[in-house]
Amino acid sequence: MADLDALRTRWSHTLHRSRGTHTPALDPDPSPGLSPSPSPSPDPAPDPSPYAENLLVRWSEPQRRYHTLDHLTAVLDHVDVLEKAADDPDLVRLAAWFHDAVYRPDRSENEERSARLAEHALPEAGLSAAATAEVARLVRLTVTHAPADDDPNGQVLCDADLAILASPADAYAAYTTAVREEYAFVPPDAFREGRAAILRQLLDLPRLFHTPHGTREWEGPARHNLTNELTLLTS
């Protein structure tokens, strides 16, 4: 189960850093006989908490089986692993929060709607126009997971999102089961055909991962898992 308080804290810290703000704090050890150091001016931007709650509610919707708070946590954890490869890891983290914030398995415009949600919420939450545009761009990039060679932020987000493909066998099996549950409305034959097509597309890519860590640590295990799943689906 996801740790909601930890996620709230991660969101708050990421948003504060991304908009260049801080929380007020007194000097913890003023010199004797002197007044305490004055507090930094209060953060003029809105409280991050309502935005976190809105996103947590979205990620907890009942139609989700894989695209859940556990997936969000895993993507954020993977961004932490890859952060040195990004130009702005905090904007990548914000994109991770929004990348499946709108998710309906029977619709094809989830990424676009998630990007538009970011474009609406982040300026209101105090993020600059340029930072908001970058977050929305990254969210839209998860449609293809094909970042350019000169797009380190995109490479980190896409690698973090696809890292599940390199999981140990039991975790990968749980992932495929959860995906099937999200698409329970699709008949078995149609699901096998559609899933097999996706697996073939992934295996045909020259590379699944783009960061040095992803290429080194995840490419081989991911291709092994995808090949095994395809074999099971088509046997």
Side-chain angles (χ1 to χ4, degrees), residues 75-106:
V75 174
L76 292 171
D77 288 345
H78 288 127
V79 172
D80 288 348
V81 171
L82 302 172
E83 65 175 344
K84 291 183 179 178
D87 281 341
D88 194 325
D90 281 323
L91 294 187
V92 178
R93 291 183 179 99
L94 290 178
W97 275 92
F98 279 95
H99 83 287
D100 284 318
V102 178
Y103 183 74
R104 296 284 178 177
D106 59 339

Side-chain angles (χ1 to χ4, degrees), residues 6-194:
L7 283 169
R8 292 182 181 105
T9 298
R10 293 173 87 162
W11 164 264
S12 180
H13 289 176
T14 300
L15 185 60
H16 279 301
R17 290 192 302 264
S18 296
R19 65 192 186 189
T21 58
H22 50 72
T23 52
L26 290 174
D27 184 339
D29 186 23
S31 300
L34 298 179
S35 300
S37 299
S39 303
S41 59
D43 183 352
D47 179 1
S49 301
Y51 300 92
E53 295 309 313
N54 180 278
L55 288 164
L56 292 173
V57 167
R58 289 175 177 275
W59 281 91
S60 302
E61 292 165 339
Q63 76 276 10
R64 298 169 182 260
R65 294 295 183 271
Y66 169 64
H67 295 87
T68 62
L69 288 168
D70 288 335
H71 172 59
L72 170 61
T73 301
V75 174
L76 292 171
D77 288 345
H78 288 127
V79 172
D80 288 348
V81 171
L82 302 172
E83 65 175 344
K84 291 183 179 178
D87 281 341
D88 194 325
D90 281 323
L91 294 187
V92 178
R93 291 183 179 99
L94 290 178
W97 275 92
F98 279 95
H99 83 287
D100 284 318
V102 178
Y103 183 74
R104 296 284 178 177
D106 59 339
R107 297 179 182 176
S108 61
E109 70 278 10
N110 291 312
E111 293 86 358
E112 179 59 29
R113 294 177 68 202
S114 295
R116 290 179 184 176
L117 178 66
E119 289 170 334
H120 173 77
L122 288 175
E124 184 181 280
L127 214 63
S128 70
T132 297
E134 174 65 357
V135 172
R137 182 189 73 81
L138 292 170
V139 172
R140 292 184 172 101
L141 189 59
T142 61
V143 174
T144 61
H145 291 95
D149 291 339
D150 61 350
D151 182 8
N153 285 344
Q155 291 176 0
V156 169
L157 179 62
C158 290
D159 280 18
D161 194 25
L162 293 184
I164 183 63
L165 301 180
S167 298
D170 57 345
Y172 189 84
Y175 151 70
T176 60
T177 298
V179 170
R180 181 64 184 107
E181 290 174 354
E182 281 189 343
Y183 287 88
F185 59 91
V186 179
D189 288 346
F191 178 82
R192 282 194 295 271
E193 182 179 346

